Amino acid sequence: MGYNYIEQLENLLGCPVDVEFAINHQGEVVILQVRPMTRLCGGRQFSAARPTEFICSGRLVSEGLCQGPLIRLQPGEFSRHIPQGAIIMAPHCELWMLAPEVLAKAGGFVFQQGGSGDHVAITLLQAGKPCVITGTDEAAGEGLEGQQVTLVCGQFDQQPGAFLLAGSQYEQFAESMLPAVSGDFSTAIAYTDQWQPAEHSPMRVDEQFRELNRLNGLLLHYFSRDRLLNQCLSPDNNLLLSMSPQRAEVLLKLEEEIAHLLADTDALLLGYEQYLLTGAKGEDATDKITTALDRLEVLKGRVNQIQQRVATQLVAVTAGLTTAQELLPDPVCFRQWRMDCVALRDSLLQLSLPRQADEVDSIHDIVFLIHQWFVDMLGDIAVASGQGETIKKTKKLTMVNFPSPNSVDIFTDECAAALEGFGLDNTVLNMDGVCIINTQINYHKGVIEVMEDGPGGKGRTLKVRMIDDFNSRWLGCTKPEGLDGKCKRFFKLALLMNAVASSHPGQSCNIAINESIGEIVCEINRVPSINRLRDQLLMAINLLNNSNNEDIRFYRPTPGMPSFDNFAGIKFHIDSLDKVDSQWILKSVLFDIGSNDSCKELQNLLCTLLGEGPQSKLIRFAATRVPESSHELPELSDDDFTHNQECIKLLLILRPQVMIPLVKAKTDWLSDKQLMLPLVKLNGLLLEYLPSELKQDKEVVLNAATHTPEALQHADEKFWDDPEVLRAAANASQELFFNMVQAMSGKKILRNAMLQVLDLNMRYLSFLYWQPYGDDPTIMLGLVKCGESYYMSQALSETLKDDTAFFKMAMDIDPKVIKYASERIRKEHGMV
């Protein structure tokens, strides 16, 4: 079919299209039917492992998750009574199954035969009904009629899968469902409708600073995942927007949202100008303030250029699409429209970390730079205006106090001393009932806000924000290892803040992630006393202090921490803080802090805040009984193996080399599967010391590989080529997975491992031994796709060298590979 036809139809409807066509006797394409697509595959993702026990599995047709009674039908059989949520199993789809009243009741479908791109598949996909094609297994589901089953269809570790499971397992998979691109714009529109314009009135310097901080947070929220800018303009979401029945309404709301964003940006600029003028009018105005005003004028010119560009790009995105008509009166170039969406998003959200005004290239850049400036100018403005008092100023700390008659002093001398000891630049604003700390900690930043009376009835509140640059690389790292440590650092902060909040009744901890700007926010509300609030502030300062260089320490699999390298992983683990696995992670983190001599103050603060209980006991045990060096044997007695078993298990996770001989001599733990499962999940290298029956157990091996790819070298050989285990290992660390494959490739042919390496397009493919796979067309084509045709030629068998079909596929990827073909094939292509 002519590609131009589809492109023209997309332009007429302004979205992807589902086309039915035929070819007449003259070989001409005849369009029979065209309709806009309303749903795409690829959005349902699960963090849970692929099921290993199931009634049947097969080819994924339509994604989804459902649970209900199983109905098994024979060919031609019609069921008049379908219970709500029923899962229908049949040899193939009958037309009556696609009736609206049937689709309204059915939960999902399991067919033995069918296609993945036919009318049935498209109808079920658009209806959001999960469906799987199993093949020819006619016996599947026998004896289960009427019983509860679960159908789960989607992506597991970026690999498609569809499974019919016995029993009620909906909750298990619903909990592991990852956030996906969504066509529901209601939440984002609600934010737009709640907007209020900023008010400008005369204020003191401390009030101006608080207002600038508020506006900064307000503007950053526009860039979050659930606001219209991301929901409409990102590469995945603009496709969903184009297919939405609400498209015209959403685009009109997008215009409002951008107008609000620009108005709030102007308010931030005006607020910053008034802030500078407050200092400039004072008797002690400095050259630094004058320079800042000149710098602001340059920024205003740049802002004007960016706003004009945004206005032009917004017209390109909305023109012609704000009509409710399905067939557009003026066709658009759909593919260009999608590029225009991304260009507008970049003008609004892209962050280039500018250092000066002429480097600013987006609204996000403007917000970023003004925040840097108003924090830096606080001390000078306060002193020049005569309103504030700089009570402490050193190389690392600027502290500005705004005294009032009945002020509540939250920031203590201990806090000041803690800030003196870390970071590159710390600014503290101390006023009545409020303390705001801005700190630059090496390559990441922290903001701590403490309020005696938080807004909205939150009571005493501690808010900690950590911001990191997730686009930077160190030590020449490429994704994902460069992100691994940063993600774990965020998770550790959330883990400890939640533990402290949960340790006292009435306190609550709210955790939010803003992926667009690389930010985590942890807020503890309703703190019961001012003294506890001060202790939690001091703890927060120490947590940020200890986070310095943790991204390097957490690089690659880390004993006691899960392995993940993206925001979806952070969110999954934060959402699972009350699960057993997370409790083991928390214990490991507390034990690690306890065994670190440089964390004495943090140890004492955590013990005070966590109270007398098992968590404080772990810290004290590690602090008093465990040497800081990981190579020294802890001071343990026989009594510890009875009364301090949890501490011994944590030592086994964190220091296996020194603990294994002792544990072997005094316990039979290493042969206890249920005891070892959570431990190997937090240190996969423990697999090396387990007995052979556990090395042959897939659940144990999978847990170990999920943490550490190298663990596979100690597993039974049957897992060396198991696709599920290999995916888990590659997700833990691509670099270590590659090293493991390199070390093992000489021992046994690892076809699936080599395919995993090629699918991930890893570097240094020349380091692997490809000769055993010279007869495997899939692996040889994989090398061509990765741009490694030369290594393909070195491994290629004589059979494949003379295989016309193989070289046709290879030349579709890279025409130059013809030079590696046999003389016969080269002659056919005019090459001798």
Side-chain angles (χ1 to χ4, degrees):
M1 178 180 179
Y3 181 75
N4 286 339
Y5 287 162
I6 294 181
E7 201 168 330
Q8 289 173 36
L9 290 168
E10 285 181 339
N11 296 344
L12 283 168
L13 291 167
C15 66
V17 291
D18 168 31
V19 180
E20 292 185 20
F21 66 95
I23 299 176
N24 64 20
H25 292 296
Q26 288 74 42
E28 298 168 332
V29 174
V30 180
I31 304 292
L32 302 177
Q33 181 176 242
V34 59
R35 54 182 173 267
M37 294 187 70
T38 57
R39 191 167 181 266
L40 290 178
C41 220
R44 186 70 70 200
Q45 299 187 49
F46 300 94
S47 61
R50 293 164 68 89
T52 54
E53 297 181 5
F54 42 80
I55 300 169
C56 59
S57 67
R59 187 170 75 253
L60 172 64
V61 173
S62 178
E63 297 173 329
L65 172 66
C66 64
Q67 172 184 301
L70 180 67
I71 295 180
R72 293 182 79 244
L73 301 175
Q74 299 304 316
E77 184 178 353
F78 175 73
S79 178
R80 294 186 179 276
H81 175 66
I82 298 176
Q84 190 67 39
I87 295 173
I88 298 174
M89 176 180 278
H92 56 82
C93 181
E94 307 277 357
L95 284 179
W96 64 266
M97 297 178 188
L98 302 181
E101 60 272 18
V102 175
L103 290 177
K105 286 188 173 183
F109 297 86
V110 180
F111 300 129
Q112 292 171 19
Q113 302 292 335
S116 55
D118 58 14
H119 183 71
V120 172
I122 292 170
T123 302
L124 295 179
L125 181 68
Q126 305 307 320
K129 299 296 179 181
C131 177
V132 56
I133 303 297
T134 62
T136 57
D137 189 3
E138 297 179 5
E142 277 189 0
L144 296 175
E145 291 91 341
Q147 295 186 26
Q148 288 287 310
V149 293
T150 303
L151 181 60
V152 54
C153 304
Q155 308 289 318
F156 301 83
D157 293 332
Q158 285 76 54
Q159 297 293 325
F163 305 89
L164 182 66
L165 312 174
S168 303
Q169 301 188 43
Y170 180 90
E171 294 298 329
Q172 172 190 341
F173 285 94
E175 288 177 359
S176 75
M177 209 177 294
L178 296 174
V181 293
S182 169
D184 180 9
F185 301 94
S186 56
T187 301
I189 288 174
Y191 281 123
T192 305
D193 291 340
Q194 293 166 7
W195 181 78
Q196 295 289 331
E199 297 180 2
H200 299 282
S201 57
M203 293 187 243
R204 295 193 326 167
V205 171
D206 55 329
E207 295 169 334
Q208 289 176 325
F209 186 87
R210 290 173 68 176
E211 177 63 8
L212 289 170
N213 237 15
R214 186 192 73 80
L215 284 171
N216 181 70
L218 184 72
L219 285 161
L220 292 180
H221 193 260
Y222 279 96
F223 309 142
S224 62
R225 184 187 184 98
D226 54 355
R227 294 295 291 264
L228 276 178
L229 302 185
N230 265 313
Q231 291 239 328
C232 294
L233 302 175
S234 69
D236 289 330
N237 287 348
N238 65 42
L239 189 61
L240 290 174
L241 170 63
S242 74
M243 300 187 297
S244 171
Q246 300 173 277
R247 181 177 64 191
E249 175 195 347
V250 173
L251 283 172
L252 289 171
K253 286 296 179 182
L254 177 65
E255 290 179 335
E256 284 185 43
E257 178 90 336
I258 292 175
H260 297 165
L261 171 63
L262 298 181
D264 286 338
T265 304
D266 288 339
L268 182 68
L269 279 164
L270 179 59
Y272 178 59
E273 184 174 35
Q274 292 174 343
Y275 176 70
L276 292 177
L277 290 173
T278 302
K281 293 172 185 174
E283 296 180 1
D284 298 318
T286 63
D287 290 341
K288 185 177 178 182
I289 297 175
T290 305
T291 302
L293 283 165
D294 293 339
R295 199 169 49 178
L296 179 60
E297 289 304 312
V298 177
L299 181 62
K300 283 182 182 179
R302 195 75 191 101
V303 169
N304 186 51
Q305 294 171 8
I306 293 169
Q307 290 184 340
Q308 288 179 12
R309 187 209 309 159
V310 166
T312 302
Q313 291 171 331
L314 181 58
V315 170
V317 167
T318 58
L321 293 174
T322 51
T323 173
Q325 296 174 248
E326 187 172 78
L327 197 63
L328 299 178
D330 297 310
V332 299
C333 178
F334 178 61
R335 298 183 188 281
Q336 181 60 48
W337 176 82
R338 293 195 66 198
M339 289 190 283
D340 291 339
C341 286
V342 174
L344 175 57
R345 178 180 178 273
D346 289 346
S347 292
L348 298 169
L349 275 71
Q350 189 82 5
L351 180 62
S352 62
L353 302 175
R355 296 183 179 182
Q356 52 195 31
D358 58 2
E359 294 176 357
V360 165
D361 198 43
S362 70
I363 300 297
H364 194 170
D365 279 350
I366 297 165
V367 177
F368 172 85
L369 195 58
I370 292 179
H371 179 257
Q372 301 288 103
W373 286 353
F374 77 69
V375 170
D376 178 61
M377 294 299 299
L378 175 60
D380 294 84
I381 301 292
V383 172
S385 66
Q387 296 179 16
E389 176 189 4
T390 303
I391 58 174
K392 193 174 187 69
K393 189 166 185 178
T394 65
K395 185 177 180 181
K396 287 189 176 182
L397 177 64
T398 300
M399 185 167 155
V400 182
N401 192 27
F402 287 85
S404 61
N406 302 309
S407 64
V408 178
D409 195 8
I410 299 174
F411 190 82
T412 62
D413 290 341
E414 289 86 350
C415 293
L419 281 174
E420 288 273 17
F422 85 103
L424 303 176
D425 187 25
N426 306 297
T427 304
V428 180
L429 175 62
N430 202 20
M431 46 196 158
D432 186 16
V434 177
C435 177
I436 300 173
I437 303 169
N438 285 268
T439 179
Q440 175 77 37
I441 319 161
N442 212 344
Y443 295 105
H444 61 294
K445 300 172 187 172
V447 179
I448 305 174
E449 299 177 41
V450 192
M451 288 167 276
E452 168 66 12
D453 187 14
K458 293 179 180 178
R460 297 183 187 90
T461 298
L462 169 70
K463 182 189 286 187
V464 180
R465 293 172 55 214
M466 187 185 289
I467 306 151
D468 208 338
D469 179 10
F470 281 78
N471 296 314
S472 67
R473 298 288 182 268
W474 41 264
L475 300 177
C477 285
T478 58
K479 188 181 182 299
E481 281 78 21
L483 303 179
D484 195 18
K486 295 172 185 284
C487 292
K488 291 176 188 174
R489 176 161 58 192
F490 269 24
F491 177 57
K492 179 181 174 182
L493 176 66
L495 194 70
L496 290 171
M497 291 287 286
N498 184 71
V500 168
S502 304
S503 66
H504 196 286
Q507 287 191 158
S508 63
C509 184
N510 300 312
I511 302 168
I513 298 286
N514 190 334
E515 182 175 348
S516 298
I517 61 173
E519 177 191 65
I520 183 170
V521 181
C522 304
E523 181 177 287
I524 299 178
N525 301 316
R526 292 182 287 279
V527 181
S529 70
I530 189 66
N531 286 333
R532 185 175 177 88
L533 186 62
R534 290 176 182 135
D535 284 343
Q536 290 184 172
L537 169 60
L538 188 55
M539 176 211 65
I541 293 171
N542 276 273
L543 282 180
L544 291 181
N545 185 6
N546 282 274
S547 71
N548 189 24
N549 291 330
E550 274 193 332
D551 55 333
I552 298 175
R553 188 164 76 91
F554 289 155
Y555 170 54
R556 296 184 175 181
T558 309
M561 288 288 280
S563 293
F564 55 92
D565 57 24
N566 52 44
F567 279 89
I570 301 174
K571 290 172 183 174
F572 170 73
H573 286 288
I574 287 174
D575 290 341
S576 308
L577 286 175
D578 58 340
K579 300 293 190 298
V580 173
D581 283 351
S582 289
Q583 292 306 306
W584 271 105
I585 299 166
L586 174 62
K587 292 170 189 175
S588 298
V589 168
L590 293 174
F591 202 84
D592 183 55
I593 291 171
S595 62
N596 190 336
D597 288 344
S598 65
C599 296
K600 292 296 183 185
E601 186 172 12
L602 182 58
Q603 293 167 11
N604 294 331
L605 283 165
L606 285 171
C607 287
T608 299
L609 292 168
L610 295 172
E612 293 300 325
Q615 293 173 337
S616 296
K617 180 181 175 182
L618 291 177
I619 297 172
R620 292 196 178 99
F621 183 96
T624 57
R625 307 279 298 280
V626 178
E628 186 169 16
S629 171
S630 60
H631 303 293
E632 292 182 39
L633 191 66
E635 299 176 9
L636 301 174
S637 64
D638 290 344
D639 193 52
D640 289 323
F641 283 85
T642 303
H643 298 104
N644 291 313
Q645 288 190 6
E646 199 163 69
C647 296
I648 306 295
K649 292 172 186 175
L650 291 168
L651 278 168
L652 199 53
I653 292 172
L654 299 171
R655 303 183 178 187
Q657 289 83 358
V658 297
M659 288 301 299
I660 287 293
L662 206 55
V663 169
K664 275 185 175 180
K666 296 182 178 293
T667 73
D668 58 356
W669 291 356
L670 297 180
S671 58
D672 186 332
K673 175 183 172 180
Q674 295 309 313
L675 186 150
M676 293 306 300
L677 271 174
L679 307 192
V680 297
K681 201 167 188 177
L682 291 179
N683 191 344
L685 294 179
L686 283 170
L687 188 66
E688 178 182 356
Y689 307 102
L690 302 189
S692 59
E693 59 267 23
L694 291 189
K695 293 179 179 179
Q696 296 175 29
D697 187 294
K698 183 167 182 177
E699 188 178 8
V700 174
V701 173
L702 195 57
N703 272 11
T706 299
H707 183 268
T708 312
E710 295 161 297
L712 273 181
Q713 297 184 61
H714 309 297
D716 188 89
E717 288 189 10
K718 66 183 179 183
F719 299 116
W720 289 6
D721 213 30
D722 184 299
E724 184 180 3
V725 174
L726 292 169
R727 276 194 301 272
N731 287 340
S733 169
Q734 289 191 15
E735 183 178 337
L736 293 182
F737 175 75
F738 183 90
N739 293 343
M740 183 271 299
V741 173
Q742 183 184 3
M744 296 167 65
S745 61
K747 301 178 184 177
K748 181 183 177 182
I749 293 181
L750 307 172
R751 182 178 187 272
N752 286 316
M754 301 302 241
L755 285 173
Q756 188 75 46
V757 167
L758 292 169
D759 285 345
L760 295 169
N761 199 4
M762 293 182 174
R763 296 179 298 167
Y764 310 124
L765 296 180
S766 60
F767 290 10
L768 298 181
Y769 186 55
W770 297 102
Q771 273 70 13
Y773 311 98
D775 274 323
D776 191 317
T778 305
I779 287 183
M780 293 296 102
L781 285 172
L783 281 168
V784 178
K785 288 177 184 176
C786 291
E788 300 291 356
S789 300
Y790 172 75
Y791 298 111
M792 180 273 293
S793 72
Q794 297 297 297
L796 200 61
S797 68
E798 293 301 320
T799 303
L800 279 187
K801 283 181 180 178
D802 199 42
D803 188 319
T804 303
F806 169 78
F807 268 96
K808 184 178 184 302
M809 290 186 287
M811 288 172 64
D812 286 342
I813 303 167
D814 179 6
K816 296 177 183 176
V817 299
I818 184 64
K819 63 186 177 184
Y820 302 124
S822 67
E823 185 177 349
R824 177 185 67 80
I825 294 176
R826 282 185 284 125
K827 282 182 177 179
E828 287 176 1
H829 287 79
M831 295 180 65
V832 178

